[in-house]
């Protein structure tokens, strides 16, 4: 499948597909004329990649987890553990934001012209 067809099938731009290719996340074959030729399973991989990004995974984390797709049934436990770690990370960030919010609220309630001056 050509890059335009893959872009249409996934809703991603050609630039995004080229970026993923440059990162090694998408591996097309090259035809004799130099055009990229993507296998049909590239659509499924890109849907997985976008879903993982929407769940908060970085491209580096996705790159590290790429082998998980080679055998989805065998790697289900590993994927669940990666999701648990991401959930714990999000919980920690939420807690840190709560602390930051409380500190900002205290600064706003403090008397004085400028809340950041001691």
């Amino acid at each position: 499948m050509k890059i335009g067809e893959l872009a249409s099938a996934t809703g991603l731009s050609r630039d995004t597909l080229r970026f993923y290719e440059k990162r090694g996340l998408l591996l097309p074959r090259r035809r004799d004329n130099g055009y990229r030729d993507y296998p049909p399973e590239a659509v499924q991989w890109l849907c997985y990649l976008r879903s993982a990004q929407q769940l908060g995974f970085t491209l580096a984390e996705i790159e590290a987890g790429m082998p998980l797709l080679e055998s989805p049934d065998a790697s289900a436990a590993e994927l669940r553990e990666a999701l648990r770690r991401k959930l714990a990370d999000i919980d920690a960030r939420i807690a840190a934001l709560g602390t930051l919010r409380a500190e900002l609220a205290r600064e706003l309630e403090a008397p004085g012209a400028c809340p950041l001056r001691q």
Side-chain angles (χ1 to χ4, degrees):
M1 138 181 4
K2 293 180 185 175
I3 193 167
E5 295 168 328
L6 185 59
S8 294
T10 60
L12 299 172
S13 71
R14 292 172 189 212
D15 288 340
T16 299
L17 297 174
R18 288 184 192 106
F19 173 76
Y20 289 154
E21 181 182 347
K22 191 178 283 190
R23 294 272 315 236
L25 290 165
L26 188 60
L27 305 173
R29 298 176 294 259
R30 289 288 183 163
R31 294 181 178 182
D32 290 338
N33 60 7
Y35 289 177
R36 292 168 176 87
D37 183 33
Y38 297 95
E41 56 272 10
V43 174
Q44 179 185 3
W45 164 244
L46 290 166
C47 289
Y48 166 81
L49 185 135
R50 298 303 280 184
S51 294
Q53 284 184 302
Q54 289 171 349
L55 289 172
F57 288 89
T58 65
L59 286 180
E61 291 169 326
I62 295 167
E63 288 167 344
M66 282 178 67
L68 298 175
L69 283 185
E70 292 173 4
S71 178
D73 293 335
S75 61
E78 288 177 66
L79 187 53
R80 284 194 170 284
E81 185 55 35
L83 292 172
R84 282 188 190 97
R85 285 191 306 271
K86 181 54 71 178
L87 185 59
D89 178 51
I90 290 169
D91 287 342
R93 289 171 28 199
I94 289 171
L97 285 171
T99 300
L100 177 61
R101 187 194 185 290
E103 289 174 17
L104 288 172
R106 273 193 305 277
E107 289 295 329
L108 285 172
E109 292 170 3
C114 180
L116 297 179
R117 286 194 176 161
Q118 296 293 330

